Amino acid sequence: MTQFRIAPSILSADFACLGQEVSRVIEAGADLIHFDVMDNHYVPNLTFGPMVCAALKPYASVPVDVHLMVEPVDDLIQSFAAAGADIITFHPEASRHVDRSLSLIRDAGCQAGLVLNPATPVQILENVLDRLDMVLLMSVNPGFGGQSFIPHTLSKIRQVRTMLDEYQAQSGRRIALEVDGGIKIENIAEVAKAGADTFVAGSAIFGQPDYQAVIDEMRARLAAV
Ligand code: DX5
Ligand code: ZN
């Protein structure tokens, strides 16, 4: 049976008390903490860097999932690994040498992943599957929380699920498939049915007063898949 994981994105948390927000959402049942790094260059928004990640690390009793929306990526890979990241993903368009950047992540002791934007073709994954621990499919254009899920992503999730299943059959290694953007209670089951196993949710969780109620309901919907 698929192990589903819920990864709240602290992009939608209260930035005035991020440490408590991380603790609260873990108590509410988060499996990962999703950390959205934006540089106002690769994406038109600016968030937080490795110093904030290091400051939050003591609050994070679950793995820290760092999503780099930055260009270039290589220096920040090293900084985030040192700051306590457990998983680091980046966008292939933002690296001149994707294979090298993926190796840097693993060499630094972290799990590595590629992030595909809604318009990025999935073929880019084919030559680097051995280097991947995770694939992250964007279901919105990166840069902001609170956007609507782009429905076309569902067929892309199915396409990548098939690719990863075939890879697992021949290699024995399972690569996680995470989806990011516009995930809510109402659509999480559909996204899981398409083949995702890890779900980023920002506004759907942090936009409600009771984080546990949202996460419990998401798990109930997943249990029915
Ligand atoms: C968008 C970020 C997402 C974002 C998701 O660029 O990568 O992680 O926080 O936010 P919601 O769940 O509100 O769409
Ligand atoms: Zn993200």
Side-chain angles (χ1 to χ4, degrees), residues 6-224:
I6 295 175
S9 163
I10 59 166
L11 182 64
S12 292
D14 181 353
F15 278 21
C17 45
L18 274 180
Q20 282 131 288
E21 290 278 70
V22 168
S23 299
R24 276 186 66 201
V25 85
I26 291 171
E27 271 164 40
D31 297 298
L32 303 171
I33 292 295
H34 187 80
F35 193 90
D36 284 307
V37 184
M38 305 186 186
D39 66 349
N40 196 38
H41 172 69
Y42 179 70
V43 288
N45 198 359
L46 185 63
T47 58
F48 24 57
M51 290 168 75
V52 176
C53 184
L56 292 177
K57 183 68 177 172
Y59 296 85
S61 51
V62 300
V64 178
D65 172 26
V66 173
H67 174 190
L68 293 180
M69 288 162 273
V70 304
E71 184 179 3
V73 297
D74 290 358
D75 285 351
L76 283 172
I77 285 171
Q78 320 271 10
S79 309
F80 274 100
D86 296 284
I87 305 166
I88 300 179
T89 63
F90 67 90
H91 292 249
E93 299 87 348
S95 169
R96 285 267 174 98
H97 305 285
V98 170
D99 184 274
R100 177 187 290 147
S101 301
L102 287 168
S103 301
L104 282 177
I105 297 174
R106 287 239 185 112
D107 290 349
C110 301
Q111 292 188 24
L114 276 187
V115 193
L116 306 190
N117 285 331
T120 306
V122 303
Q123 284 69 26
I124 187 130
L125 302 171
E126 279 166 8
N127 290 309
V128 291
L129 286 169
D130 285 339
R131 300 235 185 268
L132 296 178
D133 301 294
M134 178 183 267
V135 173
L136 172 50
L137 294 183
M138 293 306 298
S139 38
V140 298
N141 287 293
F144 302 95
Q147 304 179 81
S148 299
F149 186 90
I150 298 172
H152 164 73
T153 315
L154 289 171
S155 62
K156 202 165 172 187
I157 298 168
R158 285 190 280 268
Q159 211 181 340
V160 175
R161 176 79 272 151
T162 304
M163 191 189 283
L164 298 187
D165 285 349
E166 281 168 13
Y167 176 74
Q168 186 175 359
Q170 49 110 355
S171 69
R173 216 170 60 81
R174 185 173 172 85
I175 298 172
L177 179 47
E178 183 174 48
V179 176
D180 185 1
I183 302 279
K184 332 184 155 332
I185 288 170
E186 292 71 29
N187 63 9
I188 196 165
E190 206 181 0
V191 176
K193 272 186 207 137
D197 50 50
T198 308
F199 307 87
V200 177
S203 51
I205 294 173
F206 288 102
Q208 297 298 322
D210 187 345
Y211 305 162
Q212 181 159 357
V214 179
I215 293 175
D216 285 353
E217 187 55 33
M218 285 178 163
R219 285 202 203 284
R221 303 287 174 110
L222 290 171

